[in-house]
Amino acid sequence: MTEKKNIAIMGAGLVGSLLSLYLARRGHKVDLYERRPDLRTTIIDGGRSINLALSDRGWRALKGIGIEEEVRKVAIPMRRRVMHDEQGNLTFQPYGKEGQAIYSVSRGGLNVALMNLSEPNPDITYHFSRQALDVNLRTNEVQLRNVETGETETVQPDLLFGADGAFSVVRGAMQKTERFNYEQHYLEYGYKELTIPATGDGGWAIEKNALHIWPRGNYMMIALPNIDGSFTCTLFFPYEGERSFANIKTEEDLLNFFSEVFPDAVPLMPELATEYFENPVGSLVTVKCFPWSYEGKSLLIGDASHAVVPFYGQGMNAGFEDITVLDQMLDSFDGENWEELFHRFERRRKPDADAIADLAVMNFIEMRDKVAKPSFLLRKKIEGKISEQYPDIWIPLYSMVTFTDLPYSYAMETGLQQEKIMKKVMKHIKIVEDYNKPEVQQLLEKQLIKKEKLKKYKARKV
Amino acid sequence: MTEKKNIAIMGAGLVGSLLSLYLARRGHKVDLYERRPDLRTTIIDGGRSINLALSDRGWRALKGIGIEEEVRKVAIPMRRRVMHDEQGNLTFQPYGKEGQAIYSVSRGGLNVALMNLSEPNPDITYHFSRQALDVNLRTNEVQLRNVETGETETVQPDLLFGADGAFSVVRGAMQKTERFNYEQHYLEYGYKELTIPATGDGGWAIEKNALHIWPRGNYMMIALPNIDGSFTCTLFFPYEGERSFANIKTEEDLLNFFSEVFPDAVPLMPELATEYFENPVGSLVTVKCFPWSYEGKSLLIGDASHAVVPFYGQGMNAGFEDITVLDQMLDSFDGENWEELFHRFERRRKPDADAIADLAVMNFIEMRDKVAKPSFLLRKKIEGKISEQYPDIWIPLYSMVTFTDLPYSYAMETGLQQEKIMKKVMKHIKIVEDYNKPEVQQLLEKQLIKKEKLKKYKARKV
């Protein structure tokens, strides 16, 4: 039915590469233009978000194109959070129900896997070391510079997808059009990547199937496992202030600080000082914009339209879900009016992109501060019990985001309602067993019936 | 004390021109660079926000440099809102207490007055028709193009002020620096300027000392008086939808629509159709950003750092207040650390700039919708009575913003508290006389004592 299009995707990262597979499956001819050289022949840049947490929304998009099993081979399930306190004591919090997990994958490894899966397709062509200099949205002409040879060329696809990330060049062009809403907001925190290497026998130095957190109030370190036995640690730390990147100037400053606040990690990080002073400080930006498309000729997707901070582990998952949603819309698309299709897509996804952006900022506070508190862990246990007792009514917010395909915006709204109920419930609870007290059970029944009624009422209104 | 600086101001609009006077008074040498030709020798562009409401914050800044009286000669006091309904019936709402008013001034006229007052100063030089092409924030070099001759030149001032408005080139350069927070948001409404000319004998066709509103729910027209007897009308109207700019395509569409919804205005607007189809549709943007300065060498001021929509009549007033605040800070400045001065300035002004931006968006709903409702007018009357009875505790939000120099952020916060109290009070009130009912008086006493206590508590905490 649909007319075959010449499609250019700017950016051959995770979203661009996966999108190429989905578009080629519908018979389109796809060219990907990537600023960096081919990851498979060049050493990957170190020091920058080199592993990611893949969860249900991401898996769904991989499954949709039949490559879930390939990726699962290189993914490590993380079943719980392990919190490390300042004495090296551990506490634990499961991520979901029995059997549920999020998966640690290497950004580079996953990108290579997606490239290897898509490149043999005769309708997909990768062009590396191509920097987009300028995009003319009216004509869809993109001026590209080959960063190896210095030569420039101009391409003019039928459709242009901007999968070129948080600092998207395609979005930059849209920003110059009339009435483009745009927002970039930086946290006062940066991040630095460090390593816990594999043990001598190639094993994991700390619990393998977990996401480790050293929560310290206004800052934190986390660690995610890699398949080679190492962990990638990320220190999220203020730029300025008493305890900040600005105030760690010497190796002595660094070791004093780490020994004091991350004492159990230090012996596991032999390259700490070298890595700390060599690796760059990354910034943490949220980008929101609207619209995401221009005249049915170009469309932003993934981080280009909605860059989020990493604290919900949803950046890639949200980008992959963009592809799932677009593909669903293409199922019933007659191939005629791309402008209307793109408008439907951006209107559908925008509230969810905004929601996950806001949830990600909120979750930073939970991770760096709240998870260290016994009251928080008690509350999570109680919430687990509510969810067990009322499985149809109550899915915890984290689970809605991570283990379902409920819209992010619905998850956030429902999460705020749950928050209110939890506040009331926790007034009656000092220990887990208090959950069975009649007043708690009565309160819950009353609150949840109210909630159900509201839901039904809302459902009727739709 | 202070070392004399070579200062460049980008933009010779209202804020740039007034700022030049304040800076020259302190002995600095000031050059102003303006993209447009000299307003005094060229016909002013029509169709774009050609009059403004000057209120207390603006007057204070004019008084601070001794030019208040000069400007007062060309300003028309507007003492109340006059609402026109669809049958041409009028209702009224005073802006403040007896003697309080906002003042209609012509943007062009005020700009010319400021230029005429500043240009004779040997330390102030205007350079017209100079378009800033590029700003190098590190070196403070600005590349300028003479739009008349096509020649380019580069200037390198000690200090650079970006008074170059909502689409500031200086801010554009800051946006390319690390961790610059930025937000531009457009309303789904545009505006179009129209005219009610003076009557045959040079008088005003409708009440002179008033701001006229034709509130129509989701859109409105307003009119402000000019000294030549005419009124400048502005239609604020959705871009898209049933009643929108998009749907008025022919003169017939236009006249049908205007005759239906603005019947009393149509006979007063002989050039309606010509103006409507010739004048452009202006867009309504809010711009927020942070920081406002770069390394103590450049500073954004006025719309460049905080463009607001026009519905509180505070855009120019807020920009002028920037100057008042900066000048106060310069009083105790030793001339050494401009970086610290600029940081103090931006931290001090940012919450107030954010507040007036948000208040301006909220006031659009009040103007286009609420002022048409008897319940709103009743409520305003009751609020007036409260303010009369408790003058030290209760200044209405509009009055705080318009007739005081209380920080905008304080006004907004207090306004939200007042809103809550008014909701409670209005439950007991059907007619103005109900204000004297004992339950109303008791409620007020209770609420206001609580408020006073809270205030005192907060004051202690500072």
Side-chain angles (χ1 to χ4, degrees):
Chain A
M1 277 285 284
T2 307
E3 191 197 339
K4 306 310 173 200
K5 295 284 184 185
N6 286 312
I7 293 178
I9 300 177
M10 293 295 125
L14 299 172
V15 170
S17 298
L18 182 62
L19 178 62
S20 73
L21 282 165
Y22 272 89
L23 293 173
R25 184 168 68 178
R26 293 190 182 269
H28 301 296
K29 195 183 156 306
V30 184
D31 288 276
L32 293 116
Y33 299 93
E34 168 58 47
R35 185 176 45 79
R36 291 169 301 179
D38 190 340
L39 282 177
R40 295 163 296 184
T41 55
T42 317
I43 292 159
I44 303 165
D45 289 335
R48 174 157 185 277
S49 60
I50 58 176
N51 54 12
L52 300 161
L54 187 53
S55 57
D56 278 36
R57 293 170 207 266
W59 286 118
R60 197 165 297 114
L62 295 170
K63 198 174 175 180
I65 202 85
I67 59 177
E68 182 196 12
E69 290 313 316
E70 277 304 304
V71 176
R72 213 171 273 279
K73 288 175 196 161
V74 294
I76 300 177
M78 300 182 287
R79 300 201 175 85
R80 57 182 185 172
R81 285 176 174 160
V82 174
M83 274 71 74
H84 299 241
D85 78 8
E86 295 201 359
Q87 284 73 48
N89 301 315
L90 305 183
T91 48
F92 309 94
Q93 186 205 331
Y95 270 123
K97 292 184 285 194
E98 190 66 36
Q100 287 182 324
I102 59 176
Y103 291 77
S104 176
V105 291
S106 137
R107 175 192 284 274
L110 181 55
N111 212 337
V112 166
L114 291 171
M115 285 173 181
N116 286 340
L117 288 161
S118 57
E119 205 174 35
N121 187 319
D123 287 326
I124 298 176
T125 312
Y126 280 84
H127 308 265
F128 293 102
S129 303
R130 295 300 201 288
Q131 182 186 14
L133 299 177
D134 193 35
V135 178
N136 183 330
L137 294 171
R138 278 167 197 81
T139 62
N140 245 19
E141 283 171 302
V142 184
Q143 211 194 325
L144 296 159
R145 197 175 77 94
N146 184 320
V147 296
E148 280 166 21
T149 66
E151 282 166 30
T152 61
E153 59 179 320
T154 301
V155 297
Q156 189 175 24
D158 301 325
L159 298 173
L160 174 67
F161 285 84
D164 50 346
F167 302 96
S168 169
V169 173
V170 182
R171 190 188 67 226
M174 288 191 189
Q175 246 183 284
K176 289 175 195 149
T177 62
E178 276 279 288
R179 291 196 280 139
F180 185 74
N181 292 317
Y182 179 70
E183 184 181 338
Q184 62 184 41
H185 184 79
Y186 286 86
L187 294 187
E188 305 278 308
Y189 288 77
Y191 70 91
K192 169 109 51 184
E193 291 200 337
L194 304 164
T195 311
I196 293 177
T199 56
D201 58 357
W204 288 265
I206 49 178
E207 182 176 323
K208 175 188 173 187
N209 292 114
L211 189 151
H212 296 263
I213 313 184
W214 289 258
R216 295 294 179 266
N218 80 326
Y219 62 94
M220 69 173 175
M221 185 167 74
I222 65 169
L224 277 76
N226 298 312
I227 39 174
D228 66 359
S230 69
F231 283 83
T232 304
C233 304
T234 312
L235 173 66
F236 294 96
F237 206 38
Y239 282 102
E240 309 281 341
E242 199 196 325
R243 303 207 137 171
S244 69
F245 284 119
N247 263 354
I248 293 185
K249 291 177 186 124
T250 64
E251 201 166 318
E252 200 191 340
D253 293 345
L254 176 73
L255 294 179
N256 283 344
F257 171 69
F258 263 68
S259 304
E260 185 195 333
V261 302
F262 307 127
D264 61 335
V266 174
L268 309 176
M269 304 171 88
E271 299 297 321
L272 173 59
T274 313
E275 288 184 335
Y276 186 92
F277 290 104
E278 275 181 5
N279 287 348
V281 176
S283 61
L284 297 163
V285 70
T286 300
V287 173
K288 295 178 180 175
C289 66
F290 201 80
W292 294 355
S293 67
Y294 188 84
E295 290 184 356
K297 293 201 287 273
S298 49
L299 177 70
L300 304 176
I301 193 159
D303 283 4
S305 47
H306 50 78
V308 303
V309 295
F311 305 109
Y312 229 113
Q314 286 294 315
M316 168 187 56
N317 292 289
F320 280 9
E321 194 174 56
D322 283 352
I323 300 174
T324 303
V325 170
L326 183 67
D327 192 61
Q328 282 166 358
M329 289 184 169
L330 286 171
D331 276 343
S332 56
F333 179 55
D334 64 2
E336 289 300 317
N337 194 338
W338 287 88
E339 184 161 9
E340 199 238 308
L341 179 82
F342 288 174
H343 283 325
R344 273 202 296 137
F345 174 76
E346 68 197 8
R347 279 199 303 268
R348 159 85 182 274
R349 284 301 281 168
K350 173 67 174 163
D352 294 323
D354 284 349
I356 192 60
D358 297 343
L359 285 168
V361 171
M362 292 187 231
N363 217 42
F364 185 28
I365 302 166
E366 175 165 322
M367 289 180 79
R368 71 177 199 239
D369 196 2
K370 291 188 195 164
V371 294
K373 293 177 176 159
S375 61
F376 176 83
L377 297 178
L378 174 61
R379 189 173 147 161
K380 283 282 166 186
K381 280 182 192 153
I382 296 297
E383 199 187 351
K385 283 189 169 290
I386 298 174
S387 178
E388 237 170 70
Q389 190 178 346
Y390 297 97
D392 298 335
I393 310 183
W394 191 294
I395 308 173
L397 173 58
Y398 186 88
S399 296
M400 282 190 280
V401 169
T402 309
F403 302 123
T404 78
D405 62 352
L406 293 167
Y408 288 129
S409 53
Y410 171 86
M412 183 158 92
E413 197 193 324
T414 308
L416 293 173
Q417 290 168 11
Q418 290 172 344
E419 175 90 21
K420 284 184 193 160
I421 297 175
M422 286 309 293
K423 265 193 186 153
K424 289 182 188 158
V425 169
M426 292 311 289
K427 280 184 187 153
H428 301 276
I429 285 178
K430 289 208 174 61
I431 53 169
V432 179
E433 288 69 26
D434 289 344
Y435 181 71
N436 297 317
K437 280 165 41 179
E439 60 264 42
V440 172
Q441 289 294 320
Q442 280 158 23
L443 175 64
L444 268 176
E445 208 166 307
K446 202 177 128 204
Q447 292 290 333
L448 292 178
I449 285 164
K450 206 164 75 184
K451 190 162 167 284
E452 264 309 87
K453 270 192 191 151
L454 189 72
K455 220 171 174 180
K456 278 181 193 148
Y457 174 74
K458 276 194 183 166
R460 265 207 313 280
K461 295 254 288 186
V462 169
Chain B
M1 277 287 284
T2 307
E3 192 197 337
K4 306 310 174 201
K5 296 284 187 185
N6 286 312
I7 294 178
I9 299 177
M10 293 295 124
L14 299 170
V15 169
S17 297
L18 182 62
L19 178 63
S20 73
L21 283 164
Y22 272 88
L23 293 173
R25 183 166 70 176
R26 293 191 181 268
H28 301 296
K29 196 182 157 306
V30 184
D31 288 277
L32 292 116
Y33 299 93
E34 170 58 47
R35 187 176 46 80
R36 290 169 301 180
D38 190 341
L39 282 178
R40 294 162 298 184
T41 56
T42 317
I43 291 158
I44 304 165
D45 289 336
R48 172 158 185 276
S49 60
I50 57 174
N51 54 13
L52 300 162
L54 188 52
S55 58
D56 278 36
R57 294 170 206 265
W59 286 118
R60 198 164 296 114
L62 295 170
K63 198 174 176 180
I65 200 86
I67 59 176
E68 183 197 9
E69 290 313 316
E70 278 304 304
V71 176
R72 215 172 271 279
K73 288 175 196 161
V74 293
I76 300 177
M78 300 183 286
R79 299 201 176 85
R80 57 182 186 174
R81 285 175 175 160
V82 174
M83 275 71 73
H84 300 241
D85 78 9
E86 295 201 358
Q87 284 73 47
N89 301 315
L90 306 182
T91 48
F92 308 95
Q93 186 206 333
Y95 270 123
K97 292 183 287 195
E98 189 67 36
Q100 287 182 325
I102 58 176
Y103 291 77
S104 176
V105 291
S106 136
R107 175 191 285 271
L110 181 55
N111 211 339
V112 165
L114 290 171
M115 285 174 181
N116 286 340
L117 288 161
S118 56
E119 205 174 34
N121 188 319
D123 288 325
I124 297 176
T125 313
Y126 279 84
H127 307 265
F128 293 102
S129 303
R130 296 297 199 290
Q131 182 186 14
L133 298 177
D134 193 33
V135 178
N136 183 331
L137 294 170
R138 278 165 197 82
T139 61
N140 245 19
E141 284 171 303
V142 185
Q143 212 194 323
L144 296 159
R145 198 175 78 93
N146 185 319
V147 296
E148 279 166 20
T149 66
E151 281 167 31
T152 61
E153 60 179 318
T154 300
V155 297
Q156 189 175 24
D158 300 324
L159 297 173
L160 174 67
F161 285 85
D164 49 345
F167 302 96
S168 169
V169 174
V170 182
R171 190 187 66 224
M174 289 192 189
Q175 245 182 284
K176 289 176 196 150
T177 63
E178 276 279 287
R179 291 195 282 140
F180 186 75
N181 292 317
Y182 179 70
E183 184 181 337
Q184 62 183 41
H185 184 80
Y186 287 86
L187 294 187
E188 305 279 306
Y189 288 77
Y191 69 91
K192 171 112 43 186
E193 293 200 337
L194 303 164
T195 313
I196 294 176
T199 57
D201 57 359
W204 288 265
I206 49 179
E207 182 178 321
K208 175 189 174 188
N209 292 115
L211 189 151
H212 295 264
I213 312 184
W214 289 258
R216 296 294 179 266
N218 79 327
Y219 61 94
M220 68 173 177
M221 185 167 73
I222 65 171
L224 277 76
N226 297 312
I227 41 174
D228 66 359
S230 69
F231 283 83
T232 303
C233 304
T234 311
L235 172 67
F236 295 96
F237 206 38
Y239 282 101
E240 309 282 341
E242 199 196 324
R243 302 206 138 172
S244 69
F245 284 120
N247 263 355
I248 293 184
K249 291 179 187 121
T250 65
E251 202 166 316
E252 199 191 343
D253 294 343
L254 177 73
L255 294 179
N256 284 343
F257 172 69
F258 263 67
S259 305
E260 184 195 334
V261 301
F262 307 127
D264 60 335
V266 173
L268 309 176
M269 305 171 87
E271 299 297 321
L272 172 60
T274 313
E275 287 184 334
Y276 185 92
F277 290 105
E278 274 181 6
N279 288 349
V281 177
S283 61
L284 297 162
V285 69
T286 300
V287 173
K288 295 178 179 175
C289 66
F290 201 80
W292 294 357
S293 67
Y294 187 84
E295 290 184 356
K297 293 200 288 272
S298 50
L299 177 70
L300 303 176
I301 194 159
D303 283 3
S305 47
H306 50 79
V308 304
V309 295
F311 305 109
Y312 229 112
Q314 286 294 314
M316 168 187 54
N317 292 287
F320 280 9
E321 193 174 59
D322 283 351
I323 299 174
T324 303
V325 170
L326 183 67
D327 192 60
Q328 282 165 0
M329 289 185 170
L330 286 171
D331 276 343
S332 56
F333 178 55
D334 64 1
E336 289 301 317
N337 194 339
W338 286 88
E339 183 161 10
E340 199 236 309
L341 179 83
F342 287 174
H343 283 324
R344 273 201 296 136
F345 175 76
E346 69 197 6
R347 281 199 302 267
R348 159 84 184 274
R349 284 301 280 169
K350 173 67 174 164
D352 295 324
D354 285 348
I356 192 60
D358 297 342
L359 285 168
V361 171
M362 291 187 232
N363 218 42
F364 184 28
I365 302 166
E366 175 165 323
M367 288 179 78
R368 72 177 198 237
D369 195 3
K370 292 188 193 164
V371 296
K373 292 175 178 163
S375 61
F376 176 84
L377 297 177
L378 175 61
R379 188 173 146 161
K380 283 281 166 187
K381 280 182 191 154
I382 296 297
E383 198 187 352
K385 284 189 168 288
I386 298 175
S387 179
E388 237 171 69
Q389 190 178 347
Y390 298 97
D392 298 335
I393 309 182
W394 191 294
I395 309 172
L397 173 59
Y398 186 88
S399 295
M400 284 190 279
V401 168
T402 309
F403 302 123
T404 78
D405 61 354
L406 292 168
Y408 287 129
S409 53
Y410 171 86
M412 183 159 91
E413 197 192 324
T414 308
L416 292 174
Q417 289 167 13
Q418 290 172 343
E419 174 90 21
K420 282 183 194 161
I421 297 175
M422 286 309 294
K423 265 194 187 153
K424 288 181 188 158
V425 169
M426 293 310 289
K427 282 185 187 156
H428 302 276
I429 286 177
K430 289 211 175 60
I431 54 169
V432 179
E433 288 68 28
D434 288 343
Y435 180 70
N436 298 316
K437 279 164 42 177
E439 62 264 38
V440 171
Q441 288 295 318
Q442 280 157 24
L443 176 65
L444 267 177
E445 208 166 309
K446 203 178 124 204
Q447 291 290 334
L448 292 178
I449 284 165
K450 207 165 75 183
K451 189 161 167 285
E452 264 309 87
K453 270 192 192 154
L454 189 73
K455 220 174 177 175
K456 277 180 194 149
Y457 173 75
K458 275 196 183 164
R460 265 207 314 279
K461 296 252 290 186
V462 169

